Structure formats: structure tokens, C-alpha cells
Amino acid sequence: MKFITTTVAVALFVAISRATAGQDTEAPVAPRLLSQTGLYADAVTLKIDKRNRVFSPQYPLWSDGATKQRWVRLPEGSKINIADLANWELPVGTKFWKEFAFNGRKVETRFLWRTRKDRWVFASYAWNEAQTDAVLASEAGAANIVEIADGKRHSIPSITECRACHDSNRTETLGFNALQLSDDRDPNALHAEPLTEEMVTVKTLINENVVTPRRTELISAPPRIDATSPMTRTALGYMSTNCGSCHNSKGSIASLGLDLRNTTGTVGLEAGAECRAIATTVGKRGHWVVPDAAEQSRIINPGHPESSSLVRRIKSRRPLSQMPPIGTVVADRDAVELMTTWIANSPEEWKRLLARCAQGS
């Protein structure tokens, strides 16, 4: 009887919700199969629809060494509003896909679809064993679906986890902005793919007249992190993607005081974004303290990576200390090496960096 009562209560709740949801009851939802989302021109051969354009961010998010492919489709005749270069306004109907493969096998494809001005659909699809299609995963995600390293398994995130990275005061497309699509690529960026002719860049979007205003200055002076050294440029770019999606001035944890996200690049350090990253990390105590260096612990302690919590947390894969906190179960060794070497830089290099930022403050 208790089961029946509960079932009736749930059914009644659903009915009431549908009756009171207004337009949301008619809002588009993610299809059951990936092949129904518009990614493919042919569901049998899995040939990508030519309307879906390949792109690759110059500072990709670490995803446990997954091979990734990304596509975007803009509605025909539409344009991206880039008047605010830091916050692109994508047209309703825009779709994104990101495919994850491990050891040559497709495992998951994530789907992001703007169905209304105030609504994005988030969905993840799990590939079948035959690699012929992928099925919509539960909103709760799917844990441990495939082994990717000894004792480590990849999980499909829940919708809540997806929104934790993509939602601040607006839905963010983390790899599709001025800096990420710049034609001035950082040659030392970790895990980045070589730029190919088919990949969409800022220059492509401008030349194809799919952005407004046109902003041709972004072709003559492509967005870049103009740092004091190549290593600093790479380190700041890595932090922007792998830390800045959460640690920024507008996200849900803005009160922590870290501002690491850069979406536009700059003409010089004095322009702001790079210096905000430096100002909110270098010499700052932070809320997480390096256990065996409590007195010296700083987020970035110049010259001392051993007491820099940034290095420790990138290296860790313990739930209470790892960074990023979700989406990865394998530490990024290249990032640990980069950050360790960068923080261990000579005092003269740090003096130059801090002095340059001080001039622009």
C-alpha cells in the first residue's frame, strides 16, 4: 500500500508540475539517441553533417588524457553578438558537441543546445559497445563506465555537475570565445591540437560574416595572453581553462577571491585579466593550506612550488583536495611539471612579472 501511495503522489506531482509549467512543458528536450541531435548527416555511416564546424580551443580542459573532438552549429543566417568581447551572445538554436574517446574508442559525447534565450539543454550520450550510436544518459550521469588507467574509470557527469562548470550568471561555453579561438595560438599550450584549415577561428567567423559587430581588428591583432615570458603565457592559459571556469569574479564561488578566467586575451598585461590572476594568487594565503608547509603555504609562493597550494591541488586526486574537483580522476602530469617549473622561476622573472602588473593596476 505504501508503494502504491508513493506512486500516486509522484504521479500527482508530475501532473501538477506539467500543468503549471507553462511554456516549459513544450520546451525541446534532448533526443534519446545522439544520431537524432543533428551531429550526423548519415546515422549509419556516422558522417558528420557539413553544417557542423570543427573547432579546438587553444587551452583545452584536462580530461584524463581523452582524445576529444568538438563541433558547433549556428542556425542558418544567424550571427554571434561579440560587442562584449568577454561575453559572446550565441543565437538561439546554437548546438555544440564534444566527443570523448579513450584508447581509440568513443565513450561519451556531450551536447549543449540553446533552445531559448533563457534556456540551454545539457545532455550526455554513452556510446554502445558496437560504436554505432550513443544513448542519452540519465540526468544523474553514469559512474565508472570505462577503465582509463589502472584502477581509474571515466564517469559521465550529472547535469548538475555540467552546470557547475558552465553556469555562472549566464551559461558559458568554455572553449568557444575570443582567446580560445584566436589565430595566435600558444605553441606551448598543454594538450592542444594543431590548428588545421577546417577549424573555426576568430578570423574564420569574421571572414564568414557570422559575428556582429565585425571587429576586423581581431584579425590584425589576434587575442593572446601577452605575458612576460612564454612559460607565463602558458601557465596563465592553463589556469584560465582548468581553474578559471569556477574561480572567477562572477561564479558561485566568487567570494573566495580568485579571478583566473581570461576569455579575451589582452594587448598587454596592464589590460587586466592576466594581472587579476596574478593579484589573486601570488602571495595569497588561500582557504586550503599545504599540510606540511602550513606557515609558508600560499596559493602561489614565488620560488617555492613545494609550499604553493596550486601545485599540490593539481597534483592531488583526493576528493577533498584535488583540482579541478570534478571531471578528472587522473592527475595531469604535464600541468604539474609546468606549474612547478613556472613557480620555481628565478626571483628576477617574478620581479618583472609583478612590476609589470603593478604598473597597470
Side-chain angles (χ1 to χ4, degrees), residues 278-300:
I278 294 298
T280 58
T281 57
V282 175
K284 302 300 181 182
R285 180 75 172 169
H287 74 286
W288 190 90
V289 175
V290 176
D292 54 355
E295 292 299 318
Q296 299 80 23
S297 179
R298 299 292 185 272
I299 300 172
I300 292 178

Side-chain angles (χ1 to χ4, degrees), residues 40-51:
Y40 304 111
D42 187 321
V44 176
T45 63
L46 301 184
K47 181 180 178 181
I48 301 296
D49 191 309
K50 65 180 181 180
R51 292 172 293 180

Side-chain angles (χ1 to χ4, degrees), residues 36-304:
Q36 297 168 339
T37 63
L39 178 57
Y40 304 111
D42 187 321
V44 176
T45 63
L46 301 184
K47 181 180 178 181
I48 301 296
D49 191 309
K50 65 180 181 180
R51 292 172 293 180
N52 302 327
R53 308 291 295 278
V54 179
F55 70 98
S56 181
Q58 69 166 319
Y59 296 110
L61 182 69
W62 168 249
S63 301
D64 294 338
T67 299
K68 291 183 277 189
Q69 293 191 75
R70 306 165 186 83
W71 299 270
V72 60
R73 183 194 292 188
L74 300 174
E76 187 174 353
S78 67
K79 293 188 179 184
I80 306 169
N81 188 327
I82 62 169
D84 179 355
L85 197 59
N87 299 298
W88 288 12
E89 186 69 23
L90 293 155
V92 172
T94 298
K95 294 180 178 181
F96 289 94
W97 295 266
K98 182 163 67 171
E99 178 187 282
F100 295 72
F102 292 95
N103 302 315
R105 290 185 63 80
K106 292 175 283 193
V107 171
E108 175 191 359
T109 299
R110 296 177 191 172
F111 178 49
L112 186 58
W113 177 21
R114 188 169 201 179
T115 58
R116 288 195 321 227
K117 188 174 179 62
D118 61 347
R119 187 175 188 271
W120 287 81
V121 168
F122 291 79
S124 292
Y125 292 84
W127 278 87
N128 61 25
E129 193 65 26
Q131 300 279 278
T132 56
D133 210 334
V135 179
L136 181 65
S138 161
E139 288 195 4
N144 305 320
I145 61 172
V146 66
E147 186 174 49
I148 57 175
D150 291 342
K152 305 288 186 180
R153 301 184 70 85
H154 176 74
S155 297
I156 293 178
S158 68
I159 299 303
T160 300
E161 288 174 319
C162 290
R163 290 187 179 278
C165 288
H166 287 278
D167 276 356
S168 52
N169 63 337
R170 59 195 298 276
T171 298
E172 307 282 357
T173 48
L174 305 177
F176 199 81
N177 56 51
L179 179 62
Q180 293 284 36
L181 299 181
S182 177
D183 293 83
D184 185 351
R185 306 276 283 198
D186 183 346
N188 301 312
L190 299 186
H191 318 302
E193 300 171 86
L195 192 61
T196 64
E197 290 184 359
E198 66 176 346
M199 290 180 180
V200 171
T201 66
V202 171
K203 182 178 180 180
T204 305
L205 297 172
I206 294 171
N207 285 341
E208 294 183 359
N209 198 30
V210 293
V211 295
T212 183
R214 197 156 178 264
R215 303 197 69 159
T216 55
E217 75 274 13
L218 298 178
I219 296 177
S220 57
R224 65 172 283 146
I225 296 176
D226 190 13
T228 53
S229 71
M231 185 180 295
T232 297
R233 177 187 182 186
T234 302
L236 292 172
Y238 185 88
M239 286 195 298
S240 177
T241 295
N242 289 274
C243 311
S245 58
C246 291
H247 291 293
N248 56 67
S249 62
K250 297 180 180 179
S252 60
I253 56 174
S255 60
L256 294 178
L258 291 171
D259 194 357
L260 305 181
R261 189 160 188 227
N262 186 345
T263 60
T264 63
T266 62
V267 177
L269 276 173
E270 66 277 11
E274 292 84 356
C275 287
R276 289 195 299 273
I278 294 298
T280 58
T281 57
V282 175
K284 302 300 181 182
R285 180 75 172 169
H287 74 286
W288 190 90
V289 175
V290 176
D292 54 355
E295 292 299 318
Q296 299 80 23
S297 179
R298 299 292 185 272
I299 300 172
I300 292 178
N301 192 1
H304 300 281

